[in-house]
Amino acid sequence: MNFELTEVQRDIQKTCREFALKELIPNARKWDEAHAWPESAVKKLAELGLLGVAVPEQYGGAGLDNVCYALAIEEISRGCGSTGVIMSVNNSLYCDPVMKFGTEAQKQEFLVPFARGEKLGCFGLTEPEAGSDAAAQQTVAVRKGDEYIINGSKNWITVGPKADAIVLFTMTDKSKGNKGITAFLVPTSTPGFNRQPPDKKMGINGAWSCTIYLEDVKVPAKNILGKEGEGFKVAMSTLDGGRIGIAAQALGIGRAAYEEALRYSGERKTFGKPIRDHQAIQFMLADMATELDAARLLTLRAALMKDKGERHSQQSSMAKLFASEVASRVANKALQVHGGMGYSKEMDAERHVRDARITEIYEGTSEIQRIVISANLLKD
Ligand code: CAA
């Protein structure tokens, strides 16, 4: 395994690092406090080609690899966890399945403007009664002539309030269980597509999510993504890629927390010396740095396997499981390094704890990742 990044990979890392320093870090706390959508940051993501990183240039993307994508998400999330997941949803959960399963006509309509960042996409799998048990879809699509009529609801749809289209999962034949699920490409302007106000959450407050009610939403049959009845596989293989994005997001949030703790430990003095001269603090910093490096190696391995076209479900789940739990551990230790100030809204430490926590839940909880990993370990 080659641990050296290529020149292109180092370039994208540098570009994203500079963008984060100049435009994300100075604004992230403000966006969090105001629960504000980071409009200027999303516009800049589009300008930098970061909304379709691994989409080929002919379809409006930057034509880079998934290692570049993971490096970019880490840097962006280090600047702002909310901006990081917005980027991840458009790239991994929307563009990736359209690229992989879409027809040429679907790619022209539903990929090109989204990879260019002129439009935003989202992913509609989760329902009130189908979170971890993704096959228990209740949203129904019934065929009438050349179109389907969709009724049901989706919740926790990240980017939902701003999205122009959605990869929507429905049940087209309840008797077939997970083989009765079909994915559709649906413009959010379709009559009957009703979005609720943004959810009130503990963290990633800038990354708006919402509940969606679907009331007699008419979608042409040509908008089926993949084949009828194969939606579950579309969802699962999309999440194999999405979990790399969330692992990288977790890594970025964890790194932001660690770097703040490192900086603060040089400023704050106790017992006559900077707190970083106490071994108790040094050991915390050592654990944080070690765990973050390990999480990065797992994340880049999964990205590299995706680039090579190898099945990477297990490795994506390992990366997502480990990186998300590391992010929470690191963010909590970083808060501890700050002492009382860590609990104050005047510092970023408490935001990092709140932002890190969701990475253990969305795109499959830690428990779901352990199911995927153990199922792969036991199948041979
Ligand atoms: N790629 C392709 N096919 C796959 C696959 C993969 N990674 N994983 C499973 N499949 C196929 C299997 O091969 C199987 O097909 P066959 O029957 O033909 O053999 C079929 O799918 C069913 O597989 P399982 O029996 O393993 O499925 P299951 O029902 O036991 O559940 C699960 C699997 C892992 C628990 C799954 O339900 C899961 O991942 N749940 C979590 C859902 C999730 O992550 N939701 C996140 C929502 S998105 C989000 O959070 C966005 C956001 O806000 C940012």
Side-chain angles (χ1 to χ4, degrees):
M1 187 174 172
N2 186 1
F3 288 90
E4 283 292 310
L5 298 182
T6 64
E7 200 179 330
V8 174
Q9 289 163 351
R10 282 198 306 272
D11 279 353
I12 185 95
Q13 192 180 41
K14 183 165 173 278
T15 302
C16 293
R17 193 168 288 175
E18 285 168 2
F19 167 41
L21 267 177
K22 276 196 209 127
E23 297 179 49
L24 299 177
I25 293 173
N27 289 307
R29 196 187 309 166
K30 182 184 73 189
W31 289 328
D32 171 68
E33 277 173 10
H35 292 227
W37 176 262
E39 194 71 51
S40 59
V42 177
K43 193 163 168 275
K44 191 68 190 263
L45 289 178
E47 283 166 25
L48 292 172
L50 294 172
L51 288 170
V53 177
V55 175
E57 286 174 272
Q58 71 179 110
Y59 293 113
L64 300 173
D65 59 22
N66 285 285
V67 170
C68 284
Y69 172 58
L71 294 167
I73 292 265
E74 179 188 338
E75 296 302 327
I76 299 301
S77 305
R78 179 214 173 205
C80 171
S82 293
T83 306
V85 74
I86 292 166
M87 178 177 160
S88 177
V89 166
N90 197 70
N91 276 274
S92 294
L93 296 188
Y94 182 83
C95 290
D96 199 44
V98 183
M99 184 63 217
K100 194 165 169 190
F101 298 99
T103 61
E104 186 55 33
Q106 287 175 340
K107 285 178 190 165
Q108 292 306 325
E109 183 179 354
F110 288 102
L111 179 59
V112 174
F114 295 79
R116 283 194 190 131
E118 294 157 7
K119 293 183 175 181
L120 283 177
C122 64
F123 182 79
L125 178 68
T126 304
E127 298 183 2
E129 300 300 326
S132 289
D133 187 2
Q137 298 284 302
Q138 301 292 317
T139 293
V140 175
V142 178
R143 186 158 191 153
K144 280 220 172 113
D146 281 345
E147 56 187 19
Y148 284 78
I149 319 281
I150 301 177
N151 280 285
S153 66
K154 297 284 166 184
N155 64 349
W156 296 119
I157 305 305
T158 308
V159 184
K162 299 294 262 187
D164 298 285
I166 185 169
V167 173
L168 184 73
F169 295 89
T170 68
M171 201 49 110
T172 41
D173 188 344
K174 278 199 170 174
S175 68
K176 292 188 179 158
N178 69 44
K179 290 192 173 47
I181 295 173
T182 302
F184 288 88
L185 289 164
V186 183
T188 56
S189 56
T190 311
F193 190 99
N194 299 323
R195 290 180 267 207
Q196 298 303 294
D199 300 316
K200 294 197 170 91
K201 298 177 298 201
M202 166 179 166
I204 58 158
N205 288 324
W208 290 356
S209 63
C210 69
T211 292
I212 294 165
Y213 292 115
L214 303 143
E215 288 162 9
D216 291 330
V217 174
K218 291 187 181 137
V219 181
K222 69 177 173 56
N223 283 23
I224 289 179
L225 182 64
K227 296 202 177 90
E228 179 162 341
E230 292 193 354
F232 194 69
K233 288 190 181 176
V234 173
M236 291 300 115
S237 79
T238 299
L239 287 166
D240 286 346
R243 289 166 184 165
I244 299 174
I246 300 306
Q249 185 211 11
L251 187 51
I253 296 168
R255 212 179 96 216
Y258 159 75
E259 287 175 358
E260 263 309 287
L262 187 65
R263 188 193 58 74
Y264 187 75
S265 69
E267 276 177 11
R268 172 72 175 164
K269 290 191 175 130
T270 60
F271 306 102
K273 54 187 179 185
I275 58 171
R276 63 162 62 165
D277 290 347
H278 299 298
Q279 199 174 48
I281 302 294
Q282 290 168 356
F283 280 11
M284 282 198 244
L285 295 171
D287 285 345
M288 290 187 231
T290 305
E291 289 206 299
L292 288 168
D293 267 11
R296 184 176 302 102
L297 289 173
L298 281 176
T299 305
L300 294 181
R301 176 183 68 167
L304 195 61
M305 288 177 74
K306 185 165 182 346
D307 282 330
K308 287 174 156 175
E310 293 171 5
R311 180 81 183 248
H312 54 93
S313 314
Q314 180 186 331
Q315 289 75 13
S316 289
S317 284
M318 285 177 159
K320 200 266 188 191
L321 169 65
F322 189 71
S324 61
E325 296 194 352
V326 162
S328 278
R329 275 199 295 275
V330 166
N332 270 301
K333 279 199 183 111
L335 190 150
Q336 192 71 12
V337 169
H338 285 77
M341 283 312 290
Y343 206 64
S344 162
K345 290 270 183 193
E346 285 174 43
M347 309 290 283
D348 291 325
E350 62 84 32
R351 173 167 54 87
H352 295 139
V353 171
R354 290 185 288 105
D355 284 358
R357 192 64 181 80
I358 185 61
T359 66
E360 296 177 70
I361 298 171
Y362 59 23
E363 297 203 31
T365 58
S366 287
E367 293 68 32
I368 288 295
Q369 307 313 322
R370 289 182 170 95
I371 288 176
V372 174
I373 295 163
S374 54
N376 277 280
L377 294 177
L378 299 174
K379 81 177 170 200
D380 297 326

